[in-house]
Amino acid sequence: MTSLATIKKNGGLANKNTGSNFPSLSWFDDFTLNDFPSLFSSNFNTGISLPKVNIKEVADTFIVEMAVPGMKKTDFDINLDNQILSISAEVKEEHKDDDEGYSRREFGYSSFKRSFTLPDSVDDSKINANYNEGILNIHLPKREEAKRKPSRTIKIS
């Protein structure tokens, strides 16, 4: 078991010569926020942070894979503006329960936006996307002239 803060074994409530009739909390005097760096440096973000992205290049297309589990395909907004592909999502949740005089209401909001500058080799008229089992896939087909040509042997004349 790990300890979160170091407390002296003899540190309980102790009287110090402070000229006061109140006991000193010596264990609290030794307590610093440095003992809890992960707790107080956390941003307490419970929404969606920037999702992880894989970008693969194959012979005739680029494939963008984004891990965004728990969402619906209607939550996404994918836009292309001047060779900049933007992927964003917004989820709002609200739950309300009224039972025997007690009321409970919970709500949440999560959003993200990722943008990518596309190379000139992408044929933007053929871009398509699908969402399946928590993975958003965007296929960015290459222009015909940018596709990798198979190797061939050139004869010398």
Side-chain angles (χ1 to χ4, degrees), residues 16-57:
K16 286 186 176 178
N17 253 342
T18 61
S20 169
N21 292 332
F22 296 104
S24 171
L25 301 175
S26 64
W27 62 270
F28 190 74
D29 293 340
D30 294 334
F31 177 79
T32 65
L33 293 180
N34 293 335
D35 291 326
F36 292 107
S38 63
L39 177 64
F40 291 106
S41 65
S42 169
N43 63 4
F44 295 100
N45 182 8
T46 58
I48 298 175
S49 58
L50 287 180
K52 302 291 184 190
V53 174
N54 293 330
I55 301 175
K56 297 189 283 190
E57 179 179 6

